[in-house]
Amino acid sequence: MLIHPEVAEALAAGRAVVALESTIISHGLPRPENLRIAREIEAAVRSSGAVPATIALVDGVARIGLDDDALAQIAGDDSVVKVSVRDLASVAARGGLGATTVASTAHLAARAGIHIFATGGLGGVHRGIELYDESADLTTLSRTPVLVVCAGVKSILNVGATMERLESLNIGLLGYRTDRFPGFYLRDSGYGLYDTVTTPEEVAAVLHARTELGTDGYGLVLANPIAETDELDRALHDRVLTSGLAAATAAGVTGKEVTPFLLAYFHEQTHGASLTANVALVLSNARLAGAVAVAYAAAA
């Protein structure tokens, strides 16, 4: 594992650091906009006073913080693969190029001593009962001490089942200035929240209380809804989701390929509106994560 000098210096000094995943760059955003947006996400973290640490495997090495050349490689190299926790060792052993998911980013961030992580949407339980499909994001967070700032779970998932699994796995769930669980492109997934916070300082206080109580071995999700002005029209969303799920089934898309397939389908069918929403929510999450990291460091 190689920690970028800026990140290492910030960690050693007890300053704010925010981990960022790289799958959103390689598989979640279209080229060539993905590289520009990746830089904007890092800039959003910096705007809150924290240091960004985008995580990826480059030439088989887990990199905690990327220079611009490595960021461009993740954004543009056709050989980059989507890497979850179970894939880390095999891709590293063959010197491969891997973009980290929520699960593998959280795992590597925790190993590096980073406690706060920003992403777009959390993985979860997929729709359908023929083949039970649950993202490794959930089981990884059940044993990984990180806070994940996200816009809820992706609306393409079974939201109710995912929330039940979060509870079963002891993964904490906080709503940021909302008592409704967000649905990625939508502010409200249709499910309520029991615990809310209103400031980064409150979130930091929860993190420190978890340490005092010994419950910090589990992940914590901070659900930050997309801004009202940025969310997709619900009727459009529901229509595209229905047709997208049918298209995925017809194409035989399964497993970890479902999410990138549906994100690309949304981008095409909404004529770019879903991409605009996606970028807006990721930038919002990065800014909030940066503010929480600063508050957490200040309260240490």
Side-chain angles (χ1 to χ4, degrees), residues 35 39 58 63 66-77 97:
L35 179 57
R39 292 169 177 153
V58 180
R63 300 271 292 269
L66 303 180
D67 57 30
D68 201 61
D69 287 344
L71 201 64
Q73 190 175 2
I74 290 294
D77 194 315
L97 183 66

Side-chain angles (χ1 to χ4, degrees), residues 18-21 24-25 29 33-50 52 54 71 117-121 149-151 176 184 224-227 230 274-292:
V18 173
L20 299 168
E21 66 157 293
I24 190 173
I25 303 168
L29 298 168
E33 294 95 335
N34 58 344
L35 179 57
R36 171 183 58 80
I37 296 167
R39 292 169 177 153
E40 289 178 1
I41 295 169
E42 291 197 343
V45 172
R46 293 187 188 280
S47 73
S48 294
T54 302
L71 201 64
F117 163 33
T119 187
V149 182
C150 61
Y176 190 71
F184 196 59
N224 180 39
I226 186 172
D230 294 322
S274 67
L275 175 61
T276 300
N278 195 349
V279 172
L281 66 87
V282 171
L283 293 176
S284 173
N285 294 341
R287 287 189 292 269
L288 177 57
V292 170

